[in-house]
Amino acid sequence: MNALTRSMENLHKKEMLAYMNRKLSSLYIMDTLTGMYNRMGYQQLGEESFRISGLNKRKLLILFVDLDRLKYINDTFGHEYGDMAICAAARALMQCSSRDAVPARTGGEFVLIQSYQSDEVSRELVLRIRRTLEAEGKAQKLPFPLSMSIGTVVTDPESALSFADYVKIADSRLSEETVQTRAAR
């Protein structure tokens, strides 16, 4: 009976250890606030998606996204509201993205990587994300409007550019859009 009890305890310990290892692995690549991938997860999965798309001669769409006025929201309304805005942006991105997408929060920005279909579908995705974010803010009755700046790039499987190069291009386009948006205000 003692041997059976020890065996059951050992089995339970092994199961708990396996569970804790899975939990730690998840925390390693997941952003706990949004449920999206974190920087580590996006780098691992984004690189893998990029490699596979190159092998299959398929294009990827990469979006580099910044939640507008987040510093103002945090400074004026508090970090609780800033977190609510971040979560709303994450929900909008995840809700609008395709099933094969890699949505990630990389600190203050977001990255979304998914299969490219066409320029028209990409433009519609950006508009849908923005509309969904606006609706999220209104549904939560936030005391400020939610908007985001988005830089996009489409990969070329024939190009010598790396995944990091494409992300930098999307980031650069985000910066250009941010400057244009601020100038229009």
Side-chain angles (χ1 to χ4, degrees):
M1 190 61 135
N2 286 341
L4 179 59
T5 301
R6 277 193 306 277
S7 293
M8 289 177 65
E9 286 174 354
N10 286 337
L11 179 60
H12 178 69
K13 287 178 184 177
K14 286 181 181 179
E15 287 176 356
M16 285 304 295
L17 182 60
Y19 168 78
M20 294 306 289
N21 281 332
R22 283 191 305 274
K23 192 78 168 163
L24 284 172
S25 292
S26 173
L27 290 173
Y28 180 66
I29 63 168
M30 299 301 291
D31 174 56
T32 56
L33 178 64
T34 61
M36 299 176 107
Y37 293 107
N38 62 19
R39 183 180 303 274
M40 184 65 65
Y42 123 79
Q43 287 173 338
Q44 289 177 1
L45 297 169
E47 284 282 353
E48 183 67 10
S49 294
F50 181 73
R51 187 185 66 75
I52 291 170
S53 70
L55 290 173
N56 294 326
K57 304 290 186 217
R58 298 194 132 178
K59 296 177 180 181
L60 288 177
L61 173 66
I62 301 174
L63 280 67
F64 204 89
V65 181
D66 190 28
L67 185 59
D68 295 336
R69 299 180 319 280
L70 181 59
K71 182 175 177 3
Y72 166 79
I73 293 167
N74 281 328
D75 291 349
T76 305
F77 300 98
H79 288 277
E80 179 182 342
Y81 277 98
D83 287 351
M84 292 170 70
I86 290 168
C87 289
R91 281 191 301 277
L93 287 165
M94 290 189 291
Q95 182 179 334
C96 295
S97 62
S98 63
R99 284 185 293 168
D100 72 337
V102 177
R105 178 176 171 225
T106 61
E109 293 91 19
F110 299 89
V111 177
L112 181 68
I113 304 154
Q114 70 178 39
S115 297
Y116 169 79
Q117 295 174 5
S118 70
D119 287 348
E120 184 178 328
V121 169
S122 298
R123 280 190 296 277
E124 179 54 38
L125 171 65
V126 169
L127 291 173
R128 195 168 60 249
I129 290 169
R130 287 186 168 132
R131 284 192 303 263
T132 302
L133 178 63
E134 266 184 58
E136 281 277 338
K138 288 177 183 174
Q140 290 184 39
K141 296 182 175 37
L142 295 176
F144 46 82
L146 290 177
S147 62
M148 57 178 50
S149 298
I150 303 173
T152 65
V153 67
V154 176
T155 64
D156 177 0
E158 303 297 321
S159 172
L161 294 175
S162 69
F163 175 67
D165 293 333
Y166 280 111
V167 172
K168 285 178 189 171
I169 293 168
D171 183 17
S172 173
R173 291 181 180 169
L174 163 74
S175 297
E176 291 168 11
E177 180 176 306
T178 302
V179 168
Q180 291 172 358
T181 302
R182 286 183 184 156
R185 286 186 192 160

